[in-house]
Every structure is written in structure tokens, then in C-alpha cells.
Amino acid sequence: MTESTARKTERSEKEQKAHVLTLPLADTRVDREPHSYERWLVTKLMRMAGSPPVRFRLWNGDVIEPEHQEVSFTLHLKDPKALYSLVANPNLAFGDLYAAGRLDIEGDLPDLMETLYRAVHAAREKWPRWLDALWKNHNPRATGIAEAKENIHHHYDLGNEFYQLWLDRAEMQYTCAYYEAPDLTLEQAQLAKLEHVCRKLRLKPGMTVVEAGCGWGGLARYMARNYGVKVHSYNISREQLAYAREESRRQGLDGLITYVEDDYRNIEGQYDAFVSIGMLEHVGKENYPALSELIKRSLKPNGIALLHSIGRNRPMLMNAWIEKRIFPGAYPPSIGEFMEICEHSDFSVLDVENLRLHYAQTLTHWMERFEASQDKVADMYDEHFTRAWRLYLAGSIAAFRAGSLQLFQVVFTHGGNNQLPQNRGDLYTFPAAPEEA
Amino acid sequence: MTESTARKTERSEKEQKAHVLTLPLADTRVDREPHSYERWLVTKLMRMAGSPPVRFRLWNGDVIEPEHQEVSFTLHLKDPKALYSLVANPNLAFGDLYAAGRLDIEGDLPDLMETLYRAVHAAREKWPRWLDALWKNHNPRATGIAEAKENIHHHYDLGNEFYQLWLDRAEMQYTCAYYEAPDLTLEQAQLAKLEHVCRKLRLKPGMTVVEAGCGWGGLARYMARNYGVKVHSYNISREQLAYAREESRRQGLDGLITYVEDDYRNIEGQYDAFVSIGMLEHVGKENYPALSELIKRSLKPNGIALLHSIGRNRPMLMNAWIEKRIFPGAYPPSIGEFMEICEHSDFSVLDVENLRLHYAQTLTHWMERFEASQDKVADMYDEHFTRAWRLYLAGSIAAFRAGSLQLFQVVFTHGGNNQLPQNRGDLYTFPAAPEEA
């Protein structure tokens, strides 16, 4: 072998190695043939996900059928890099790729997501520990006062016009509705939720209420209008507060409602009721003892507190994509974790209700309206935003249907309070939903 | 100083020391003067107990008034040793001394106990750690299969005749009743409890139910009679089972009910409902994961489970006297601790209800009947037993009134079950209590 031949061989070996190890990542041509190990990766990924009835269509049109399963859905990976992102961090990449249009889905989106959630839920019990560690949500956002402001701004200050496109027209509720009957409209179910909450708090005219996180202020207005109570509502989303104040003025409720632009941690005074609908998800577990002490000092001796929050059957990190792209810093607690709030201040839990499937139905109603307005959304933002939100809504429907998320309403009071309702029959004396809304 | 004088002085010093340190304990004459440090001990004890409005009458008739308080109750310590026992271990000694007649009480017994519970609850936050350690319940009984048999025998095999003296005449329920309305009789409220439980389980004719710990079998008979379900009920109290079987035969329910004399851990088969009323207190925290797995394998995919148990607002050891003398091995969990049962098997909690004040009322009804039959009880057992049970009933009334004990009904199902009731309105469609009972 001459020296030059030897060098050539060496180079060619290097080139070959480079081809094996880096070329597929570098070769992003969307019409190139998939390598055999790329097909193997897809099969492996599907097995790790519990072998759902899903077909993969690759960038060049090649398909990989699921093992031993009828096909119900097709995932279309539009470029080779998408596959590698998906394998490295499926929780985050699935959403990012879908939003960017690099992954597409044939079949009903919520149904696919539910199928995936159920399959993964069953399969992950058998994952090796390194895989669980690799795929979990790393570095969720903090929830200090400064971060909370950013976290909330990121989501709730997207513009009231945007939320008006698909939330209920009754009270702009961006939380789980209460489908007292399965055929209620979104408006009826949201009003029924507000009524159900007021009944659980056993409100009477002249009472005082403090609300931590008030959204567009609908609960405060409902309470003032229908129960004649005085409400102090705290929120750090400026856009939401502007709407809330205007609406309260329009309805002539200014004398009963004070909307405060401040962090819930700065609540002052003592009230007959403490209520928070859909804020606990943003509080962060590390702040539960402080929240507990806040409720303890804000609640009169016979006062009642109600926290309404997304939750879990057992402690689990938030889905990475939702936590990073949609709800920074969000964490839904299990009841066991939630109980730190109650046990820390010797509160007595009176009532826990789980409205999981009500949230699936609420989200289905939202998604229908969202889909009907998606051209407008794309005009207001862009196609990437529209796709991200479609996936977020569909994924949330799926998570509540599959049982990976729960919705808890927890009612509690000071440990020594004996002024308790005789039973819960008063919550059900007549329908909570208006006949028409 | 001569040798003999020196020896005398030495002896007299020893005698003096002996006098200071041991004489009061040795000198058990019930008419002797209390020492000044004994009076100091009483004052100190009352301060540690949060200065309740309680007067002490000592063995010789001397009284010690409470500081800055109107007197509502008098504790009469009948001998000097009683004081030392009380100081060394008040949780255990209070009951033992009362049962033995060495401590007597002037004033309403449940009221006194509630006053003491509330005062101690507030005061113990400030106790030094050594005092908390000294006074806590040491070495509670284990709850393995063998110990469980002894623990249960100790309490539930006292004789059916004894329990018939003061439990309801409808279904011999030795658990919290449901006072749907405040003026129900004990019989009505116990039947309302059984009805409430059946509704929460959403029973339908032909369903199958397994019951862990069935007492005298009343729930099984109620379910079979009123819902036409098939019930397997487990119990390890032979006395209770004999009664349950006879009663089931008498009512012609043998075809629907099987009473099994076995530990709940040996439950076999799969059922539409898993129910346990008042057994969890005896299970022991260390057995919660196993109980969780048992429920998981015993419950059909769409089955519903209900556990009804005494509980706490926060983790706390059982009162020493109750645990040692009345309910060996008993431990009422906080909801946070209870959640280990649910989280361990990915159960979804649907409903938690707290019936704390219902148990106070149930116990008040029991105590009225017990007091009316106390001569019979003294004939069946003895005065010591009668006094111990009077204190146990009064103390339990007080604990539920003061909020040191809670009563939780927790309804849950498999995490993936979507066959859920639309809402809880069906629990309240018509009164659960019969008009007369």
C-alpha cells in the first residue's frame, strides 16, 4: 500500500464514520431515503410509548405501520431532524414540531392525544430509570413574585380579544365549567360553575369575600349580583383587570367589587370567604406553606375557603411543552400535595369534588369555538401560534379524558369552626344552571 | 463534732433528702396536707394545658383555683399518687385515674373534655420538645394479622348484649351516623348513613360488593334488602359475625350475603364496589400500600370504592389512653396520609365529605343510652369498666366537637375509569332518612 493509498483509505473510513454518525442529522433533505436505523428508532419510540395504534409517515412518504394494531391515526414527520428531536425529548418536541408544522396529524387530534396519553401512562411504569430522567421536564420555571408576573403575563395578557373568540359569552370564564347536565351550553355550564362555587361558600348578603386570581372578574360580578356580597379580587394580569373593571362599572357593581392589581401574597384584611379559581396551578408547591398562612390570617373564625385547581392522582411534573410554551411555572398538585396547604394551618377539609370530565367537556366547547375562529386567530398572531393553541386545547381535552389531569374543588375551614352546614343537600336544592344563557 | 454527732447529722440529711424526694410519693395518706411543690405542680400542669377554667380539689379537700378564669369544672384528685401519675403522663393517666375512681369530675363530662381538648390544642404549640416527647403515646400496638385479631377481639368481642344496650335498634351501627336533619333519631340517622353510602357507591340491582370489616353486618343487609346487590362481608370479630349471620338468616337475605370470617387482607374476587366503614382506623399506616393494592385488584375497571374513617386535620398519634385501653393499634389518618392509599395505585378521588359534627351527635346519642343503662353495664362488667366507657364516649364527643378528630368518607375509582356520575345531585334527590325508624 502506498502512503497516498493509505491516507485515502483512512479518509474514506473517516468519511464513512461521519456518514454513519452525523450525516443523517446533517442531511436534512426532505426527500432522502430514511436509514434503516431511523426506521428502527421509530419502532423503538412507539414501543416506549406503549405501542399505540399509530402509523408513522416519514419525510419521503415511507410509512411504518404499528405492531399488532389497527391504524387509527397517522403521524407525519416532515423532515429527518424532527425524528431526532422527538426521540431526544418527545414531551417537548411533539408540541414544538406540531406548532412549527414539521409534524402533522391525520385523525381526530383530541382522540389521538388521549390514545397517546393512555398508552404512555401504562408503558412508563416499565421505562428504565435513565429514560424517565431523560424525558422528564427539566428546569420548570420559578414562581417568586417577579417570575409570577412574567409567567402570568405570558399567558393571560395575550389580549382579551383573543380569549373573547372562544370563551363563554356569559362571564369569560377561563376555568373548568360545571356540566350539571350533559347537554348544557358552555354559557350555562360556566354560570352553573359560578353558582356551585357560591353555594359551596354558603354566601349570604352582606358577607365579604376575597378572591385570589380573578381572571376577567366574572366570579366577583356573579357573587355581587346574585348574592349581594362585597368582593376584593386580586390579579396581576393588567389586560384582564382592565376588562373586569370596565364590566363591573357597566353592570353598576362598583360599590360591591374592588379589583386590586397586586400579587395574591399581598392580600390584606379578614373575610367571610376566601376563594381562588384556577390560580393554585400557578402558585408553585414551594409557596404552599405561605399560601396556607395567608388564608389562615385572611379568613374569619367561621369563614369558608374554596380552592379550585387542576390536579393529579399522584405527584408528577407538568408536561414539558405545556409548562415551557403555554403555562410557564405551572404545577398541578395531587390531593396529597394540596393537603400541605390544609395541614400546615390545621384547616379542616369539609368537601372535595373532582370535576375531571367537566373540564374535558369545557375544553371541547372551547376548541369547537377556537377552530371556528382559527382564521381570525392566525390573522391576530400567526400560523405557529394557532397550531400551538390547537394542540394545547386538544392535549388538555385528552389529559382530562385519560385521567392524567384532575380538577379538584376543595372546601375547608379553620379547625375549630363548628358553624358548619348540616349536609351538602343545600348545594342541590334547585338547578345551578340558568334555563337559558 | 463527735463521730456519733457527725453520723446523726449525716443520717438526718439523708432523711431530709428522702423526705423531699420520695416521701410525698410514699406518703399516700389521703388526708395528709399537700406540699407546697405539689400545689406548684398543679398550677404548672394547668398552665401547660392552656389554663382551662378548671379548679383542682386535692385529696384532703384543699382547692386550687384556675388563674384568671371563672370556674366551670372541678377535677377531684383523690390521692397524692394520682397527681404524680397525671404529671408524668397526663394522656394515659387521666383515663386510668378516672376509670379507677381516683379522679372525679364535677360538671358535664363531654363539656369538660372539649374544654380541655381546645385548651391543650392551643397550648401544645408552645410546649418544649422534651415535654411533647414525654407526653406522647409511646409504643402503639402493631397491626399485623395476628395482632389485628387481638386488637379487634379486645374491643368488638365485648359481647353483643353490651353493644345492644346503647347502639341503634335498626342496624347495630357502631360508626358515625348521618344526621341529614339535626332532629333525626339515632335509628333514622344510622339508616340515613347506610343509604348515603349506597348512593355514593351508585349501587344498582345485580351488582357485587365486597365489604372490609362489617361490624354486625348492617350495611350488607341494607344493601341486599334495598339495592338487590350481592355482598361479601369480611370480619375477624367472631361475636359480631354470629349476630350478623343470624340476622341475615332471619331476614331471608342468605342468598345475597356471604359473611366471611377472615382478615380483609385475604379478600378474593373482583367487585363493582369496595366499601369499608370504620375499619381503616385499625389498619395501620404501614399497611396502606398493601390495602391500596388489595383494592386495586378487587375493584372492576368501572368499580367505585368508599372508605369511611375517623381522621385528623394533620398527622398526630392517637391519644395514649384510647389507643392502649379502648382501641389497641388504632390510628386515624389525615387526608394527606390517607392519600397514600389512593396515590399508590393511581386511584382518582371523586369525593371527600367530612362528617365530624355528625359523629359528635352520634356519640351523644350513644352516651345518653349508655348512661341510662349503666347499672346493667356495671352488673355485666364492673364499675371500672363502666367509668372507662363513660369517659371514652364523653372524650370522643369532645374530640369531634373540638376538631381534634374528623370523620372522612372518601370515594374513589381507578384512574382510567370514565363511567363517572355526572354530578353529586343524585345523592340528594330525596331524603336519605326514613320518615320513622
Side-chain angles (χ1 to χ4, degrees):
Chain A
M1 203 190 280
T2 63
E3 205 190 301
S4 105
T5 326
R7 221 180 291 130
K8 247 189 219 159
T9 313
E10 206 182 285
R11 198 166 49 232
S12 111
E13 264 173 24
K14 256 196 201 157
E15 267 165 13
Q16 222 177 312
K17 265 196 191 154
H19 178 78
V20 173
L21 290 174
T22 66
L23 196 68
L25 282 160
D27 184 358
T28 55
R29 284 174 301 132
V30 297
D31 55 351
R32 77 156 167 83
E33 288 285 306
H35 294 270
S36 62
Y37 51 81
E38 287 172 334
R39 305 178 65 95
W40 176 86
L41 268 181
V42 170
T43 315
K44 201 73 190 159
L45 187 66
M46 281 296 91
R47 246 182 244 163
M48 288 294 111
S51 305
V54 169
R55 168 197 289 131
F56 265 75
R57 173 169 297 125
L58 300 185
W59 44 92
N60 71 329
D62 276 15
V63 297
I64 301 168
E65 300 291 339
E67 293 173 301
H68 332 294
Q69 291 260 19
E70 291 278 307
V71 174
S72 306
F73 312 93
T74 301
L75 292 189
H76 185 179
L77 281 178
K78 296 194 175 170
D79 63 83
K81 272 182 91 171
L83 172 61
Y84 293 93
S85 310
L86 204 57
V87 169
N89 192 348
N91 287 317
L92 188 61
F94 189 94
D96 282 349
L97 294 170
Y98 180 82
R102 293 168 58 196
L103 181 156
D104 238 335
I105 282 152
E106 292 160 30
D108 183 75
L109 190 51
D111 283 354
L112 164 68
M113 297 303 289
E114 184 182 352
T115 303
L116 290 181
Y117 274 125
R118 286 188 183 264
V120 170
H121 182 79
R124 70 183 306 158
E125 305 276 319
K126 288 164 229 146
W127 286 356
R129 203 168 293 177
W130 62 264
L131 190 65
D132 217 13
L134 180 72
W135 282 356
K136 80 170 190 175
N137 184 15
H138 296 278
N139 309 317
R141 294 260 307 169
T143 48
I145 290 207
E147 293 94 337
K149 212 162 178 133
E150 276 176 45
N151 294 342
I152 295 309
H153 177 74
H154 176 96
H155 192 88
Y156 296 98
D157 286 345
L158 282 170
N160 297 339
E161 262 181 71
F162 167 64
Y163 287 103
Q164 275 167 315
L165 289 176
W166 50 277
L167 291 181
D168 66 287
R169 285 160 214 116
E171 281 300 359
M172 289 274 282
Q173 290 293 296
Y174 187 27
T175 47
C176 176
Y178 175 54
Y179 290 85
E180 199 180 18
D183 55 353
L184 294 192
T185 65
L186 178 60
E187 278 70 20
Q188 284 177 307
Q190 287 296 7
L191 291 172
K193 185 261 304 286
L194 299 177
E195 177 64 24
H196 199 48
V197 166
C198 291
R199 290 184 190 179
K200 283 186 174 178
L201 290 169
R202 272 77 181 184
L203 296 183
K204 293 204 183 72
M207 281 186 169
T208 57
V209 180
V210 68
E211 185 185 16
C214 71
W216 288 276
L219 175 62
R221 292 190 296 279
Y222 190 91
M223 287 176 158
R225 241 177 14 237
N226 297 285
Y227 284 85
V229 295
K230 284 199 162 184
V231 192
H232 276 70
S233 289
Y234 283 68
N235 195 344
I236 49 176
S237 161
R238 190 162 289 183
E239 283 261 0
Q240 291 186 325
L241 277 177
Y243 176 97
R245 284 181 177 139
E246 196 185 307
E247 195 57 25
S248 149
R249 202 155 32 238
R250 206 183 59 77
Q251 295 188 23
L253 298 169
D254 270 3
L256 289 172
I257 305 176
T258 312
Y259 291 111
V260 188
E261 188 184 340
D262 204 348
D263 194 280
Y264 74 92
R265 284 162 270 217
N266 298 324
I267 284 175
E268 282 175 2
Q270 270 210 334
Y271 305 84
D272 295 297
F274 184 108
V275 66
S276 179
I277 310 291
M279 189 196 72
L280 187 65
E281 301 89 328
H282 303 293
V283 163
K285 255 199 319 179
E286 65 281 13
N287 297 314
Y288 287 1
L291 173 62
S292 176
E293 283 159 29
L294 169 72
I295 299 173
K296 194 177 178 73
R297 68 172 183 267
S298 310
L299 204 57
K300 290 187 188 168
N302 295 333
I304 293 183
L306 184 152
L307 300 185
H308 164 126
S309 174
I310 298 173
R312 296 279 199 188
N313 288 343
R314 49 167 80 171
M316 197 180 289
L317 281 177
M318 190 73 179
N319 170 282
W321 184 73
I322 295 286
E323 195 277 318
K324 294 209 189 308
R325 307 295 185 241
I326 307 287
F327 281 117
Y331 183 84
S334 73
I335 297 182
E337 294 175 308
F338 191 123
M339 283 305 111
E340 196 184 344
I341 301 166
C342 297
E343 295 187 356
H344 184 80
S345 296
D346 194 36
F347 288 125
S348 177
V349 174
L350 302 180
D351 185 4
V352 179
E353 184 175 17
N354 189 339
L355 297 172
R356 169 166 75 85
L357 292 181
H358 296 246
Y359 217 157
Q361 194 168 352
T362 309
L363 281 151
T364 304
H365 276 159
W366 288 344
M367 188 161 174
E368 280 165 18
R369 296 185 183 192
F370 180 86
E371 298 271 51
S373 300
Q374 61 182 327
D375 292 347
K376 276 189 205 164
V377 178
D379 282 350
M380 290 167 81
Y381 302 94
D382 58 21
E383 186 60 22
H384 188 283
F385 179 93
T386 314
R387 288 178 66 93
W389 271 69
R390 185 188 307 132
L391 182 67
Y392 152 56
L393 292 170
S396 301
I397 292 172
F400 284 102
R401 278 199 205 146
S404 19
L405 291 175
Q406 316 287 314
L407 192 289
F408 299 121
Q409 284 188 342
V410 181
V411 180
F412 54 95
T413 185
H414 292 294
N417 172 20
N418 279 359
Q419 299 299 309
L420 307 178
Q422 186 72 27
N423 61 51
R424 305 186 303 198
D426 55 333
L427 307 179
Y428 302 94
T429 38
F430 56 93
E435 286 201 7
E436 282 178 28
Chain B
M1 203 191 278
T2 64
E3 207 190 296
S4 106
T5 326
R7 221 180 291 131
K8 247 187 216 159
T9 313
E10 206 183 283
R11 197 166 51 232
S12 111
E13 265 171 22
K14 257 194 200 158
E15 266 165 13
Q16 222 176 313
K17 264 194 193 156
H19 178 76
V20 173
L21 291 173
T22 66
L23 196 67
L25 283 159
D27 184 358
T28 55
R29 284 173 301 131
V30 297
D31 54 351
R32 77 156 166 83
E33 289 285 307
H35 294 270
S36 62
Y37 51 82
E38 287 172 334
R39 305 178 66 95
W40 175 87
L41 267 181
V42 170
T43 316
K44 201 74 190 161
L45 186 67
M46 281 296 91
R47 246 183 244 163
M48 288 295 111
S51 305
V54 169
R55 169 199 288 130
F56 265 75
R57 174 169 297 124
L58 300 185
W59 45 91
N60 72 328
D62 277 14
V63 296
I64 301 168
E65 300 291 339
E67 293 173 302
H68 334 291
Q69 290 260 21
E70 292 279 307
V71 173
S72 305
F73 312 94
T74 301
L75 292 189
H76 185 180
L77 281 177
K78 297 195 175 169
D79 63 84
K81 271 181 94 172
L83 172 61
Y84 293 94
S85 310
L86 204 57
V87 169
N89 192 347
N91 287 317
L92 188 60
F94 190 95
D96 281 349
L97 294 170
Y98 180 82
R102 293 168 59 197
L103 180 156
D104 237 334
I105 282 150
E106 292 161 30
D108 183 76
L109 190 51
D111 283 354
L112 163 69
M113 297 304 288
E114 183 182 354
T115 304
L116 289 180
Y117 274 124
R118 286 188 183 264
V120 169
H121 182 79
R124 70 183 307 158
E125 306 276 318
K126 288 163 229 148
W127 286 356
R129 203 169 291 177
W130 62 265
L131 191 64
D132 218 13
L134 179 72
W135 282 356
K136 78 170 192 177
N137 183 16
H138 296 277
N139 309 317
R141 293 262 307 172
T143 49
I145 291 208
E147 292 95 338
K149 210 159 180 139
E150 275 176 47
N151 294 343
I152 295 310
H153 177 74
H154 176 95
H155 193 88
Y156 295 99
D157 287 345
L158 283 170
N160 297 339
E161 260 181 72
F162 168 64
Y163 287 103
Q164 275 167 313
L165 288 177
W166 49 277
L167 291 181
D168 67 286
R169 284 160 214 116
E171 281 298 0
M172 289 274 282
Q173 290 294 296
Y174 187 27
T175 48
C176 175
Y178 175 53
Y179 291 84
E180 200 181 19
D183 55 353
L184 294 192
T185 64
L186 178 60
E187 278 70 20
Q188 285 177 307
Q190 287 295 8
L191 291 171
K193 186 262 302 288
L194 298 178
E195 177 63 25
H196 199 47
V197 165
C198 291
R199 290 184 190 180
K200 283 186 174 177
L201 290 170
R202 272 77 180 183
L203 296 183
K204 294 206 183 70
M207 281 186 170
T208 56
V209 180
V210 66
E211 185 185 16
C214 71
W216 289 275
L219 175 61
R221 291 190 296 278
Y222 190 92
M223 287 176 158
R225 237 173 21 231
N226 297 285
Y227 284 85
V229 295
K230 284 198 163 186
V231 192
H232 275 69
S233 289
Y234 284 68
N235 196 344
I236 49 176
S237 161
R238 189 162 289 184
E239 283 263 358
Q240 292 186 323
L241 277 177
Y243 177 97
R245 284 179 178 142
E246 196 186 306
E247 195 58 24
S248 149
R249 201 156 33 239
R250 205 183 59 76
Q251 295 188 23
L253 297 170
D254 270 2
L256 289 172
I257 306 176
T258 312
Y259 290 111
V260 188
E261 188 183 341
D262 204 347
D263 193 280
Y264 73 92
R265 283 163 271 215
N266 298 324
I267 284 175
E268 284 176 0
Q270 270 212 333
Y271 305 84
D272 295 296
F274 184 107
V275 65
S276 179
I277 309 291
M279 188 197 73
L280 187 65
E281 301 90 328
H282 302 293
V283 163
K285 257 199 315 179
E286 66 282 12
N287 297 314
Y288 287 1
L291 173 62
S292 176
E293 284 160 28
L294 169 72
I295 299 174
K296 194 176 178 75
R297 67 171 184 268
S298 311
L299 203 57
K300 289 187 188 168
N302 295 333
I304 294 183
L306 185 151
L307 301 185
H308 164 125
S309 173
I310 298 172
R312 297 277 200 189
N313 288 343
R314 50 167 78 172
M316 196 180 289
L317 281 176
M318 190 73 179
N319 169 283
W321 184 73
I322 295 287
E323 196 276 318
K324 294 207 190 310
R325 306 294 185 243
I326 306 286
F327 281 117
Y331 183 85
S334 73
I335 296 183
E337 294 175 308
F338 191 122
M339 283 305 111
E340 194 183 344
I341 300 167
C342 296
E343 295 187 356
H344 184 81
S345 297
D346 194 37
F347 288 125
S348 176
V349 174
L350 303 180
D351 184 4
V352 178
E353 184 175 17
N354 189 339
L355 297 171
R356 169 166 74 85
L357 292 181
H358 296 246
Y359 217 158
Q361 194 168 352
T362 308
L363 281 150
T364 304
H365 277 159
W366 288 344
M367 188 161 173
E368 280 164 17
R369 296 185 182 192
F370 179 87
E371 298 271 51
S373 300
Q374 61 183 325
D375 291 347
K376 276 189 204 161
V377 177
D379 282 350
M380 290 168 80
Y381 303 93
D382 58 20
E383 186 60 21
H384 188 283
F385 179 92
T386 313
R387 288 178 66 93
W389 271 70
R390 185 188 306 133
L391 182 66
Y392 152 55
L393 292 170
S396 302
I397 293 171
F400 284 101
R401 279 199 205 146
S404 19
L405 291 175
Q406 316 287 315
L407 192 289
F408 299 122
Q409 285 188 341
V410 181
V411 180
F412 54 95
T413 185
H414 291 295
N417 173 20
N418 279 0
Q419 299 299 310
L420 307 179
Q422 186 71 28
N423 62 50
R424 303 185 305 197
D426 55 333
L427 307 179
Y428 302 95
T429 39
F430 56 93
E435 286 200 10
E436 282 179 29

